[in-house]
Amino acid sequence: MSNVFYDRSGKPHTIKSKKTESSEKPSKPSSSGKKKPSPKSPTLGVKKSESKFSKEPGRKDKSKSGFKSKPGSRFEKRPRPERGPSPQGLAQTLKATVDMNKKGTAYLIFESKSIEDAFLPKHFLDQVFHGDRVEIKVADGRIQSVKVLEHRFKEIFGRIRIQSQKFSQKGARRTGVLVYERKKTRAEIWVGVLPEKINDQDWVHAKIHFDHGKGEGPWAEIIEIIGPEIPASYDIAMVAGEFNLKEHHTPQAVKEAEAFKLDLNSPDLADRTDLRHLPFITIDGETARDFDDAVYVERLKSPQAYRLWVAIADVSHYVKAGTVLDAEAYERATSVYFPERAFHMLPRALSEDLCSLKPRVPRLSMACSIDFDDQGNPSHTKMYSAIIESRRRATYTEIEAEKNDPQHADLFALYRILRQARTRRGSVDFDFPESEIHLNETTGEPLDIFVRERNDAHRLIEEFMIAANEATSRWMIEKDLPFIYRIHEE
Protein backbone atom coordinates (compact mmCIF):
# COMPACT_ATOMS: atom_id res chain seq x y z
CA MET A 1 0.00 0.00 0.00
CA SER A 2 1.30 3.49 -0.78
CA ASN A 3 0.23 6.97 0.21
CA VAL A 4 0.74 10.35 -1.41
CA PHE A 5 1.97 13.29 0.62
CA TYR A 6 3.39 16.71 -0.06
CA ASP A 7 6.73 17.91 1.27
CA ARG A 8 7.64 21.43 2.39
CA SER A 9 8.31 22.49 -1.20
CA GLY A 10 4.79 21.47 -2.23
CA LYS A 11 5.95 18.57 -4.45
CA PRO A 12 4.02 15.29 -4.25
CA HIS A 13 5.94 12.17 -3.23
CA THR A 14 5.00 8.55 -2.73
CA ILE A 15 6.18 6.55 0.25
CA LYS A 16 5.56 3.07 1.52
CA SER A 17 3.50 2.43 4.61
CA LYS A 18 5.53 1.54 7.68
CA LYS A 19 6.10 -2.24 7.87
CA THR A 20 8.82 -4.40 9.24
CA GLU A 21 10.84 -6.42 6.75
CA SER A 22 9.58 -9.71 8.15
CA SER A 23 5.92 -8.80 7.64
CA GLU A 24 6.17 -7.11 4.23
CA LYS A 25 4.63 -9.09 1.36
CA PRO A 26 4.60 -8.49 -2.41
CA SER A 27 1.54 -6.55 -3.51
CA LYS A 28 -1.05 -8.42 -5.56
CA PRO A 29 -1.78 -7.17 -9.06
CA SER A 30 -5.28 -6.02 -9.92
CA SER A 31 -7.65 -8.16 -11.93
CA SER A 32 -6.49 -6.44 -15.11
CA GLY A 33 -2.90 -7.37 -14.32
CA LYS A 34 -1.91 -3.73 -13.90
CA LYS A 35 -0.94 -1.90 -10.77
CA LYS A 36 -3.51 0.49 -9.40
CA PRO A 37 -2.51 4.16 -9.80
CA SER A 38 -1.72 6.20 -6.68
CA PRO A 39 -4.44 8.60 -5.58
CA LYS A 40 -4.14 12.05 -7.11
CA SER A 41 -5.27 14.11 -4.11
CA PRO A 42 -3.01 14.42 -1.07
CA THR A 43 -3.62 12.28 1.96
CA LEU A 44 -2.26 12.88 5.42
CA GLY A 45 1.28 11.58 5.35
CA VAL A 46 4.69 11.62 6.86
CA LYS A 47 6.75 14.77 6.61
CA LYS A 48 9.45 14.04 9.16
CA SER A 49 10.38 10.61 7.81
CA GLU A 50 11.63 11.78 4.43
CA SER A 51 15.42 11.78 4.14
CA LYS A 52 16.92 15.21 3.86
CA PHE A 53 19.40 13.78 1.36
CA SER A 54 17.03 11.74 -0.82
CA LYS A 55 15.84 14.65 -2.98
CA GLU A 56 18.94 16.77 -2.91
CA PRO A 57 20.20 17.33 -6.48
CA GLY A 58 23.77 16.26 -7.19
CA ARG A 59 24.01 13.96 -4.17
CA LYS A 60 25.04 10.40 -4.99
CA ASP A 61 22.58 7.65 -4.12
CA LYS A 62 24.73 5.24 -2.12
CA SER A 63 22.20 2.46 -2.49
CA LYS A 64 22.90 2.35 -6.26
CA SER A 65 26.59 3.18 -6.26
CA GLY A 66 27.86 -0.07 -4.75
CA PHE A 67 28.48 1.60 -1.38
CA LYS A 68 28.63 -1.02 1.37
CA SER A 69 28.86 -0.27 5.07
CA LYS A 70 30.72 -2.32 7.62
CA PRO A 71 28.67 -4.06 10.32
CA GLY A 72 28.47 -1.87 13.40
CA SER A 73 29.48 1.32 11.55
CA ARG A 74 27.30 4.41 11.67
CA PHE A 75 26.40 3.83 7.99
CA GLU A 76 25.05 0.35 8.61
CA LYS A 77 21.43 0.00 7.55
CA ARG A 78 19.25 -0.39 10.60
CA PRO A 79 15.49 -0.95 10.92
CA ARG A 80 13.65 2.35 11.34
CA PRO A 81 12.03 2.86 14.74
CA GLU A 82 8.28 2.80 14.94
CA ARG A 83 6.85 6.31 15.34
CA GLY A 84 3.25 5.29 15.94
CA PRO A 85 0.35 5.41 13.50
CA SER A 86 -0.11 8.21 11.00
CA PRO A 87 -3.68 9.31 10.30
CA GLN A 88 -4.15 7.24 7.10
CA GLY A 89 -7.30 5.22 7.21
CA LEU A 90 -8.51 6.65 10.52
CA ALA A 91 -11.95 8.18 10.95
CA GLN A 92 -11.46 10.49 13.87
CA THR A 93 -11.11 14.03 15.15
CA LEU A 94 -7.61 15.40 15.75
CA LYS A 95 -6.24 18.64 17.17
CA ALA A 96 -3.25 20.43 15.70
CA THR A 97 -1.48 23.76 15.20
CA VAL A 98 -1.08 25.34 11.76
CA ASP A 99 2.56 25.91 10.79
CA MET A 100 3.25 27.93 7.62
CA ASN A 101 6.72 28.00 6.08
CA LYS A 102 8.53 30.70 4.08
CA LYS A 103 6.86 29.55 0.85
CA GLY A 104 3.38 29.85 2.33
CA THR A 105 2.84 26.08 2.51
CA ALA A 106 0.88 25.02 5.59
CA TYR A 107 1.41 21.94 7.74
CA LEU A 108 -0.42 20.55 10.74
CA ILE A 109 1.59 19.92 13.90
CA PHE A 110 -0.54 17.42 15.80
CA GLU A 111 -0.94 17.59 19.57
CA SER A 112 -0.68 13.81 19.69
CA LYS A 113 3.02 13.01 19.44
CA SER A 114 2.26 9.61 17.89
CA ILE A 115 0.97 11.27 14.71
CA GLU A 116 3.41 12.90 12.34
CA ASP A 117 3.04 16.32 10.75
CA ALA A 118 0.83 16.51 7.67
CA PHE A 119 0.33 18.83 4.70
CA LEU A 120 -2.75 21.08 4.80
CA PRO A 121 -4.28 21.45 1.32
CA LYS A 122 -4.58 24.97 -0.06
CA HIS A 123 -8.37 25.05 -0.18
CA PHE A 124 -8.39 25.11 3.64
CA LEU A 125 -6.10 28.13 3.89
CA ASP A 126 -8.97 30.63 3.56
CA GLN A 127 -10.09 29.52 7.03
CA VAL A 128 -6.83 29.56 8.98
CA PHE A 129 -3.68 31.55 9.65
CA HIS A 130 -0.23 30.66 10.95
CA GLY A 131 -0.29 29.58 14.61
CA ASP A 132 -4.01 28.78 14.73
CA ARG A 133 -5.08 25.85 16.88
CA VAL A 134 -7.51 23.74 14.88
CA GLU A 135 -9.63 20.63 15.06
CA ILE A 136 -9.71 18.48 11.92
CA LYS A 137 -11.89 15.57 10.89
CA VAL A 138 -10.08 12.78 9.06
CA ALA A 139 -11.56 9.92 7.07
CA ASP A 140 -9.73 7.48 4.79
CA GLY A 141 -6.50 9.33 5.41
CA ARG A 142 -7.85 12.64 4.10
CA ILE A 143 -8.85 15.87 5.81
CA GLN A 144 -12.63 16.32 5.56
CA SER A 145 -13.00 19.57 7.53
CA VAL A 146 -11.05 22.12 9.56
CA LYS A 147 -12.48 23.97 12.54
CA VAL A 148 -10.57 26.81 14.21
CA LEU A 149 -10.47 26.45 17.99
CA GLU A 150 -8.27 29.46 18.70
CA HIS A 151 -6.56 32.14 16.64
CA ARG A 152 -3.03 32.82 17.86
CA PHE A 153 -2.78 36.19 16.13
CA LYS A 154 -5.27 39.02 16.48
CA GLU A 155 -2.88 41.86 15.60
CA ILE A 156 0.33 41.71 13.57
CA PHE A 157 3.09 43.91 12.16
CA GLY A 158 4.15 43.62 8.54
CA ARG A 159 4.90 45.40 5.25
CA ILE A 160 2.33 46.60 2.74
CA ARG A 161 2.54 45.65 -0.93
CA ILE A 162 0.21 47.81 -3.02
CA GLN A 163 -1.48 45.78 -5.77
CA SER A 164 -4.08 47.85 -7.59
CA GLN A 165 -6.19 51.00 -7.63
CA LYS A 166 -9.93 50.79 -8.26
CA PHE A 167 -12.22 53.67 -9.25
CA SER A 168 -15.87 54.08 -8.34
CA GLN A 169 -18.41 56.85 -7.76
CA LYS A 170 -16.94 57.30 -4.30
CA GLY A 171 -13.48 57.87 -5.75
CA ALA A 172 -10.27 55.90 -6.09
CA ARG A 173 -9.63 52.97 -3.77
CA ARG A 174 -6.30 51.18 -3.45
CA THR A 175 -5.98 47.55 -2.42
CA GLY A 176 -3.01 45.44 -1.43
CA VAL A 177 -1.67 42.70 0.77
CA LEU A 178 -0.02 42.76 4.16
CA VAL A 179 3.11 40.62 4.07
CA TYR A 180 3.77 38.97 7.42
CA GLU A 181 7.30 37.55 7.38
CA ARG A 182 9.49 36.14 10.10
CA LYS A 183 12.52 33.86 10.20
CA LYS A 184 10.67 30.65 9.25
CA THR A 185 7.23 31.92 8.28
CA ARG A 186 5.61 33.97 5.56
CA ALA A 187 1.96 34.77 4.91
CA GLU A 188 0.02 37.33 2.87
CA ILE A 189 -3.25 38.87 4.07
CA TRP A 190 -5.67 40.79 1.89
CA VAL A 191 -6.19 44.51 2.61
CA GLY A 192 -9.34 45.73 0.87
CA VAL A 193 -8.93 49.43 1.64
CA LEU A 194 -5.55 51.15 2.02
CA PRO A 195 -5.20 54.55 3.72
CA GLU A 196 -4.41 57.46 1.41
CA LYS A 197 -1.00 58.30 2.88
CA ILE A 198 0.41 54.79 2.83
CA ASN A 199 3.31 53.90 0.54
CA ASP A 200 4.47 50.61 -0.91
CA GLN A 201 6.67 48.62 1.52
CA ASP A 202 5.59 50.69 4.55
CA TRP A 203 5.52 48.93 7.90
CA VAL A 204 2.06 48.84 9.47
CA HIS A 205 0.29 47.62 12.57
CA ALA A 206 -2.89 45.79 11.59
CA LYS A 207 -5.81 43.90 13.07
CA ILE A 208 -6.75 40.54 11.52
CA HIS A 209 -10.39 39.72 10.77
CA PHE A 210 -11.62 36.18 10.17
CA ASP A 211 -14.90 35.82 8.26
CA HIS A 212 -15.71 32.21 9.08
CA GLY A 213 -18.25 30.51 6.87
CA LYS A 214 -18.17 33.15 4.09
CA GLY A 215 -15.57 31.41 1.95
CA GLU A 216 -13.17 34.34 2.29
CA GLY A 217 -9.71 34.29 3.81
CA PRO A 218 -8.44 36.49 6.64
CA TRP A 219 -8.26 40.20 5.86
CA ALA A 220 -6.37 43.00 7.56
CA GLU A 221 -7.48 46.38 8.86
CA ILE A 222 -4.68 48.96 9.14
CA ILE A 223 -4.48 50.39 12.65
CA GLU A 224 -1.26 52.39 12.32
CA ILE A 225 1.15 53.36 9.55
CA ILE A 226 4.69 53.16 10.92
CA GLY A 227 6.76 54.04 7.84
CA PRO A 228 9.55 52.55 5.70
CA GLU A 229 11.53 51.45 8.79
CA ILE A 230 10.31 50.12 12.10
CA PRO A 231 12.04 51.71 15.13
CA ALA A 232 13.28 49.75 18.14
CA SER A 233 10.56 51.28 20.31
CA TYR A 234 8.05 48.99 18.55
CA ASP A 235 9.81 45.79 19.63
CA ILE A 236 7.65 45.24 22.71
CA ALA A 237 4.47 45.96 20.74
CA MET A 238 5.55 43.43 18.10
CA VAL A 239 6.22 40.74 20.71
CA ALA A 240 2.91 41.52 22.41
CA GLY A 241 1.10 41.19 19.09
CA GLU A 242 2.85 37.91 18.25
CA PHE A 243 1.77 36.28 21.53
CA ASN A 244 -1.48 38.17 22.23
CA LEU A 245 -0.04 39.78 25.35
CA LYS A 246 -2.16 42.47 26.96
CA GLU A 247 -0.57 45.27 28.92
CA HIS A 248 -3.69 46.99 30.23
CA HIS A 249 -6.60 45.54 32.14
CA THR A 250 -10.28 46.12 31.56
CA PRO A 251 -12.00 48.88 33.57
CA GLN A 252 -14.07 46.21 35.36
CA ALA A 253 -10.95 44.36 36.55
CA VAL A 254 -9.28 47.59 37.65
CA LYS A 255 -12.42 48.58 39.54
CA GLU A 256 -12.53 45.22 41.35
CA ALA A 257 -8.84 45.48 42.31
CA GLU A 258 -9.04 49.06 43.54
CA ALA A 259 -12.06 48.26 45.71
CA PHE A 260 -9.99 46.09 48.07
CA LYS A 261 -8.78 47.56 51.35
CA LEU A 262 -6.73 45.72 53.96
CA ASP A 263 -8.59 45.89 57.28
CA LEU A 264 -6.81 43.81 59.92
CA ASN A 265 -9.92 43.93 62.12
CA SER A 266 -12.09 42.28 59.50
CA PRO A 267 -13.79 39.00 60.56
CA ASP A 268 -12.38 37.41 57.39
CA LEU A 269 -8.89 37.62 58.93
CA ALA A 270 -9.76 36.24 62.35
CA ASP A 271 -8.27 32.80 61.63
CA ARG A 272 -4.97 34.11 60.31
CA THR A 273 -1.74 33.68 62.26
CA ASP A 274 -0.07 36.98 63.07
CA LEU A 275 3.64 36.65 62.21
CA ARG A 276 4.45 40.35 62.23
CA HIS A 277 6.91 39.83 65.08
CA LEU A 278 9.23 37.86 62.75
CA PRO A 279 11.84 40.01 60.96
CA PHE A 280 11.13 38.91 57.36
CA ILE A 281 13.03 40.63 54.55
CA THR A 282 12.59 40.58 50.77
CA ILE A 283 15.63 40.18 48.49
CA ASP A 284 15.20 41.12 44.82
CA GLY A 285 16.96 42.86 41.96
CA GLU A 286 17.47 46.61 41.84
CA THR A 287 14.80 47.04 39.16
CA ALA A 288 12.16 44.76 40.74
CA ARG A 289 8.68 46.27 40.58
CA ASP A 290 6.93 43.90 42.98
CA PHE A 291 8.04 41.73 45.89
CA ASP A 292 6.48 38.28 45.93
CA ASP A 293 8.40 36.44 48.65
CA ALA A 294 10.09 37.10 51.98
CA VAL A 295 12.45 34.98 54.08
CA TYR A 296 13.73 34.67 57.64
CA VAL A 297 16.00 32.09 59.35
CA GLU A 298 16.11 31.52 63.08
CA ARG A 299 18.51 29.36 65.10
CA LEU A 300 16.81 26.69 67.21
CA LYS A 301 17.85 25.61 70.71
CA SER A 302 19.12 22.20 69.62
CA PRO A 303 22.71 22.32 68.31
CA GLN A 304 23.13 23.20 64.63
CA ALA A 305 19.38 23.26 63.98
CA TYR A 306 17.63 25.98 61.98
CA ARG A 307 14.07 27.00 61.13
CA LEU A 308 13.48 28.49 57.69
CA TRP A 309 10.49 30.78 57.22
CA VAL A 310 9.26 31.55 53.70
CA ALA A 311 6.24 33.75 53.00
CA ILE A 312 4.58 34.56 49.70
CA ALA A 313 1.82 37.06 48.94
CA ASP A 314 -1.65 35.54 49.35
CA VAL A 315 -3.28 36.39 46.02
CA SER A 316 -6.11 33.90 46.60
CA HIS A 317 -7.60 36.16 49.29
CA TYR A 318 -8.39 38.77 46.63
CA VAL A 319 -8.90 36.80 43.41
CA LYS A 320 -12.00 34.64 43.76
CA ALA A 321 -13.50 32.21 41.25
CA GLY A 322 -16.13 33.75 38.98
CA THR A 323 -14.84 37.33 39.22
CA VAL A 324 -13.56 39.48 36.37
CA LEU A 325 -10.13 39.43 38.05
CA ASP A 326 -10.12 35.64 37.95
CA ALA A 327 -11.18 35.52 34.29
CA GLU A 328 -8.47 37.98 33.21
CA ALA A 329 -5.79 36.26 35.29
CA TYR A 330 -6.78 32.92 33.76
CA GLU A 331 -6.54 34.37 30.25
CA ARG A 332 -3.10 35.93 30.86
CA ALA A 333 -1.75 32.95 32.85
CA THR A 334 1.38 34.83 33.97
CA SER A 335 3.07 38.21 34.21
CA VAL A 336 5.53 39.06 31.43
CA TYR A 337 8.58 41.18 32.20
CA PHE A 338 10.37 43.33 29.62
CA PRO A 339 13.52 45.43 30.20
CA GLU A 340 11.55 48.65 30.53
CA ARG A 341 8.12 47.56 31.83
CA ALA A 342 5.95 44.61 32.80
CA PHE A 343 2.60 43.23 31.64
CA HIS A 344 1.08 42.14 34.95
CA MET A 345 -1.35 39.25 35.37
CA LEU A 346 -3.27 41.38 37.90
CA PRO A 347 -4.00 45.13 37.98
CA ARG A 348 -1.41 47.32 39.67
CA ALA A 349 -3.59 47.85 42.75
CA LEU A 350 -2.88 44.18 43.55
CA SER A 351 0.37 43.30 41.76
CA GLU A 352 2.31 46.34 42.95
CA ASP A 353 0.49 47.06 46.21
CA LEU A 354 -1.71 44.66 48.20
CA CYS A 355 -0.03 41.53 46.77
CA SER A 356 3.46 42.98 47.04
CA LEU A 357 5.34 42.39 50.32
CA LYS A 358 6.39 45.99 50.77
CA PRO A 359 8.47 46.91 53.82
CA ARG A 360 6.90 48.21 57.04
CA VAL A 361 3.28 47.57 56.01
CA PRO A 362 1.14 44.53 56.93
CA ARG A 363 0.44 42.08 54.12
CA LEU A 364 -1.57 38.86 53.83
CA SER A 365 0.54 35.86 53.00
CA MET A 366 0.81 32.09 52.81
CA ALA A 367 3.80 31.07 54.94
CA CYS A 368 5.62 27.92 55.91
CA SER A 369 8.21 27.01 58.53
CA ILE A 370 10.65 24.15 57.95
CA ASP A 371 13.06 22.77 60.55
CA PHE A 372 16.47 21.45 59.39
CA ASP A 373 19.32 19.66 61.13
CA ASP A 374 22.99 20.39 60.47
CA GLN A 375 22.98 18.01 57.46
CA GLY A 376 20.08 19.77 55.75
CA ASN A 377 17.52 17.07 56.58
CA PRO A 378 14.00 18.47 57.13
CA SER A 379 12.23 17.30 60.27
CA HIS A 380 9.04 19.34 60.64
CA THR A 381 6.95 21.53 58.34
CA LYS A 382 4.03 23.77 59.23
CA MET A 383 1.78 25.88 56.98
CA TYR A 384 0.09 29.19 57.85
CA SER A 385 -2.47 31.60 56.48
CA ALA A 386 -0.65 34.55 57.92
CA ILE A 387 -0.15 38.27 58.28
CA ILE A 388 3.46 39.42 57.97
CA GLU A 389 5.33 42.71 57.88
CA SER A 390 8.61 42.83 56.02
CA ARG A 391 11.38 44.75 57.78
CA ARG A 392 13.39 45.61 54.68
CA ARG A 393 13.35 45.69 50.88
CA ALA A 394 16.90 44.47 50.19
CA THR A 395 18.70 43.85 46.89
CA TYR A 396 20.97 40.98 45.91
CA THR A 397 23.89 43.38 45.69
CA GLU A 398 23.30 44.71 49.19
CA ILE A 399 22.96 41.29 50.82
CA GLU A 400 26.05 39.98 49.00
CA ALA A 401 28.04 42.93 50.34
CA GLU A 402 26.70 42.27 53.85
CA LYS A 403 27.02 38.47 53.89
CA ASN A 404 29.73 38.56 56.57
CA ASP A 405 27.58 40.78 58.78
CA PRO A 406 26.53 38.90 61.97
CA GLN A 407 22.88 39.78 61.36
CA HIS A 408 22.94 37.54 58.25
CA ALA A 409 24.98 34.70 59.79
CA ASP A 410 22.04 32.30 60.13
CA LEU A 411 20.78 33.08 56.61
CA PHE A 412 24.06 32.12 54.96
CA ALA A 413 24.80 29.23 57.35
CA LEU A 414 21.53 27.47 56.41
CA TYR A 415 22.05 28.34 52.73
CA ARG A 416 25.42 26.54 52.71
CA ILE A 417 23.96 23.51 54.51
CA LEU A 418 21.06 23.19 52.06
CA ARG A 419 23.27 23.68 49.00
CA GLN A 420 25.69 20.97 50.15
CA ALA A 421 22.79 18.59 50.90
CA ARG A 422 21.31 19.12 47.43
CA THR A 423 24.70 18.53 45.82
CA ARG A 424 25.03 15.23 47.72
CA ARG A 425 21.64 14.19 46.31
CA GLY A 426 23.02 14.61 42.80
CA SER A 427 21.19 17.81 41.88
CA VAL A 428 22.51 19.63 38.81
CA ASP A 429 23.14 23.35 39.21
CA PHE A 430 22.60 25.25 35.94
CA ASP A 431 24.52 28.33 36.96
CA PHE A 432 24.69 30.03 33.54
CA PRO A 433 25.53 33.72 33.08
CA GLU A 434 22.66 36.06 32.20
CA SER A 435 22.74 39.17 30.05
CA GLU A 436 21.33 42.51 31.08
CA ILE A 437 20.39 45.11 28.49
CA HIS A 438 20.30 48.85 29.11
CA LEU A 439 17.91 50.72 26.84
CA ASN A 440 17.40 54.34 25.89
CA GLU A 441 14.21 55.18 27.78
CA THR A 442 12.95 57.39 24.95
CA THR A 443 13.74 55.43 21.79
CA GLY A 444 14.03 51.90 23.15
CA GLU A 445 17.42 51.49 21.42
CA PRO A 446 19.87 49.25 23.30
CA LEU A 447 22.74 51.22 24.79
CA ASP A 448 24.74 48.51 26.50
CA ILE A 449 24.75 44.75 27.10
CA PHE A 450 26.73 43.21 29.93
CA VAL A 451 26.82 40.03 31.99
CA ARG A 452 24.61 40.13 35.04
CA GLU A 453 26.64 38.88 37.98
CA ARG A 454 25.19 36.00 39.98
CA ASN A 455 26.28 35.90 43.58
CA ASP A 456 25.54 33.97 46.76
CA ALA A 457 22.54 36.20 47.52
CA HIS A 458 20.86 34.98 44.30
CA ARG A 459 21.67 31.37 45.15
CA LEU A 460 20.45 31.80 48.73
CA ILE A 461 16.97 32.83 47.60
CA GLU A 462 16.87 30.06 44.99
CA GLU A 463 17.88 27.49 47.64
CA PHE A 464 15.22 28.68 50.06
CA MET A 465 12.51 28.65 47.35
CA ILE A 466 13.43 25.09 46.36
CA ALA A 467 13.31 24.03 50.01
CA ALA A 468 9.88 25.64 50.44
CA ASN A 469 8.51 23.96 47.29
CA GLU A 470 9.80 20.55 48.35
CA ALA A 471 8.42 20.96 51.86
CA THR A 472 5.00 22.01 50.53
CA SER A 473 4.92 19.00 48.22
CA ARG A 474 5.78 16.62 51.07
CA TRP A 475 3.14 18.26 53.28
CA MET A 476 0.44 17.91 50.60
CA ILE A 477 1.34 14.28 49.90
CA GLU A 478 1.41 13.37 53.60
CA LYS A 479 -2.10 14.79 54.00
CA ASP A 480 -3.26 13.13 50.76
CA LEU A 481 -4.50 16.45 49.39
CA PRO A 482 -5.10 17.01 45.65
CA PHE A 483 -2.89 19.65 44.07
CA ILE A 484 -1.66 20.86 40.70
CA TYR A 485 1.94 20.28 39.75
CA ARG A 486 4.07 20.72 36.66
CA ILE A 487 6.12 18.08 34.88
CA HIS A 488 8.88 18.36 32.29
CA GLU A 489 7.72 16.44 29.22
CA GLU A 490 10.18 14.59 27.00
Side-chain angles (χ1 to χ4, degrees):
M1 178 181 176
S2 64
N3 295 301
V4 177
F5 79 102
Y6 282 66
D7 67 9
R8 290 266 178 179
S9 66
K11 297 179 181 179
H13 295 283
T14 302
I15 61 170
K16 292 182 179 179
S17 298
K18 299 174 187 175
K19 293 182 180 179
T20 59
E21 293 181 3
S22 60
S23 63
E24 189 170 355
K25 298 179 180 179
S27 59
K28 295 181 179 180
S30 63
S31 58
S32 62
K34 296 180 180 179
K35 291 183 178 179
K36 293 182 180 180
S38 300
K40 298 298 182 182
S41 60
T43 64
L44 288 180
V46 181
K47 166 177 70 77
K48 293 178 182 175
S49 62
E50 63 178 303
S51 168
K52 66 178 181 178
F53 300 123
S54 59
K55 304 299 177 185
E56 188 174 345
R59 182 173 289 276
K60 205 170 196 179
D61 187 347
K62 293 179 180 178
S63 64
K64 299 178 181 179
S65 64
F67 175 87
K68 294 182 179 180
S69 59
K70 296 179 180 179
S73 73
R74 64 189 181 96
F75 297 109
E76 181 187 9
K77 186 176 180 180
R78 298 178 176 89
R80 294 176 60 185
E82 289 294 328
R83 297 178 62 89
S86 69
Q88 288 98 340
L90 301 179
Q92 60 178 315
T93 300
L94 303 170
K95 293 180 181 178
T97 300
V98 177
D99 178 38
M100 300 184 74
N101 64 15
K102 291 285 284 186
K103 295 183 179 181
T105 306
Y107 286 86
L108 296 170
I109 313 298
F110 290 96
E111 293 182 2
S112 173
K113 293 184 178 181
S114 64
I115 302 176
E116 299 189 357
D117 303 351
F119 169 72
L120 181 65
K122 287 187 177 180
H123 60 271
F124 289 113
L125 296 185
D126 62 351
Q127 306 172 37
V128 300
F129 190 66
H130 174 70
D132 285 355
R133 185 169 176 261
V134 297
E135 182 179 83
I136 67 167
K137 289 187 178 179
V138 182
D140 298 324
R142 288 179 173 79
I143 300 173
Q144 304 299 315
S145 65
V146 175
K147 177 184 176 182
V148 176
L149 300 177
E150 181 182 7
H151 291 296
R152 173 183 167 182
F153 295 95
K154 295 180 176 63
E155 296 180 5
I156 61 171
F157 290 78
R159 287 186 180 273
I160 284 293
R161 190 174 73 236
I162 298 175
Q163 287 191 325
S164 62
Q165 183 165 300
K166 297 181 179 180
F167 297 90
S168 65
Q169 293 180 350
K170 296 182 180 181
R173 178 169 66 92
R174 294 187 298 169
T175 64
V177 294
L178 172 59
V179 181
Y180 169 82
E181 190 167 13
R182 296 298 180 265
K183 186 175 181 180
K184 297 181 179 179
T185 303
R186 188 181 191 277
E188 295 184 356
I189 309 172
W190 172 252
V191 184
V193 179
L194 290 174
E196 292 182 5
K197 297 182 180 180
I198 199 167
N199 298 313
D200 194 52
Q201 297 301 311
D202 271 355
W203 280 92
V204 298
H205 179 197
K207 182 178 181 180
I208 306 179
H209 296 270
F210 298 91
D211 293 333
H212 297 294
K214 297 184 179 180
E216 300 177 357
W219 59 277
E221 175 190 358
I222 307 300
I223 299 174
E224 179 185 8
I225 302 171
I226 300 171
E229 301 293 336
I230 189 163
S233 57
Y234 277 84
D235 285 352
I236 290 179
M238 290 181 70
V239 172
E242 296 268 338
F243 295 96
N244 286 326
L245 304 179
K246 297 179 181 178
E247 180 175 9
H248 304 291
H249 292 81
T250 63
Q252 296 90 335
V254 173
K255 184 177 180 181
E256 280 188 9
E258 292 179 346
F260 290 113
K261 307 295 179 186
L262 181 55
D263 180 9
L264 298 183
N265 297 318
S266 170
D268 293 341
L269 308 182
D271 294 334
R272 287 192 174 256
T273 303
D274 192 343
L275 299 178
R276 285 179 290 173
H277 62 284
L278 298 178
F280 282 98
I281 64 171
T282 62
I283 307 175
D284 296 276
E286 281 79 2
T287 59
R289 301 173 180 88
D290 45 59
F291 316 114
D292 302 324
D293 45 72
V295 297
Y296 166 60
V297 173
E298 64 174 309
R299 191 74 167 268
L300 301 180
K301 293 181 180 179
S302 57
Q304 299 299 316
Y306 297 88
R307 177 169 293 161
L308 169 64
W309 292 86
V310 176
I312 61 171
D314 187 0
V315 179
S316 63
H317 177 81
Y318 302 100
V319 182
K320 302 295 185 183
T323 61
V324 177
L325 281 172
D326 180 53
E328 288 200 11
Y330 182 86
E331 182 183 4
R332 292 169 183 249
T334 184
S335 297
V336 181
Y337 294 89
F338 294 100
E340 57 194 69
R341 64 183 188 269
F343 290 10
H344 289 291
M345 185 172 65
L346 300 171
R348 293 181 183 276
L350 293 179
S351 61
E352 295 184 0
D353 191 9
L354 289 177
C355 293
S356 180
L357 304 181
K358 293 181 174 181
R360 295 176 295 281
V361 290
R363 286 290 178 260
L364 304 184
S365 77
M366 299 298 293
C368 70
S369 63
I370 316 154
D371 294 351
F372 294 95
D373 63 17
D374 61 347
Q375 296 300 307
N377 300 310
S379 59
H380 181 67
T381 298
K382 193 172 181 181
M383 300 291 169
Y384 305 85
S385 291
I387 303 171
I388 73 161
E389 187 169 314
S390 171
R391 295 290 195 272
R392 178 185 175 188
R393 180 273 197 257
T395 67
Y396 295 117
T397 305
E398 291 171 346
I399 297 300
E400 176 69 14
E402 301 169 8
K403 67 180 179 181
N404 294 322
D405 190 311
Q407 66 174 325
H408 301 317
D410 294 337
L411 272 176
F412 280 93
L414 180 58
Y415 151 66
R416 285 187 284 269
I417 290 172
L418 295 181
R419 186 176 176 85
Q420 290 167 6
R422 194 159 59 88
T423 301
R424 287 195 301 270
R425 298 203 309 263
S427 174
V428 178
D429 190 2
F430 297 100
D431 199 356
F432 298 125
E434 296 181 35
S435 297
E436 186 167 327
I437 304 172
H438 279 190
L439 304 177
N440 183 304
E441 294 183 1
T442 304
T443 65
E445 294 282 352
L447 300 176
D448 193 14
I449 302 176
F450 58 90
V451 176
R452 177 185 294 165
E453 182 183 354
R454 276 176 51 79
N455 53 43
D456 280 342
H458 289 91
R459 300 182 187 97
L460 178 147
I461 289 297
E462 290 173 2
E463 210 65 56
F464 290 174
M465 294 304 115
I466 291 172
N469 286 335
E470 291 177 343
T472 303
S473 299
R474 288 192 300 269
W475 185 83
M476 298 286 283
I477 292 170
E478 287 170 1
K479 296 186 176 296
D480 197 24
L481 297 173
F483 66 101
I484 298 173
Y485 59 94
R486 183 174 63 182
I487 64 170
H488 295 280
E489 298 185 52
E490 294 181 1

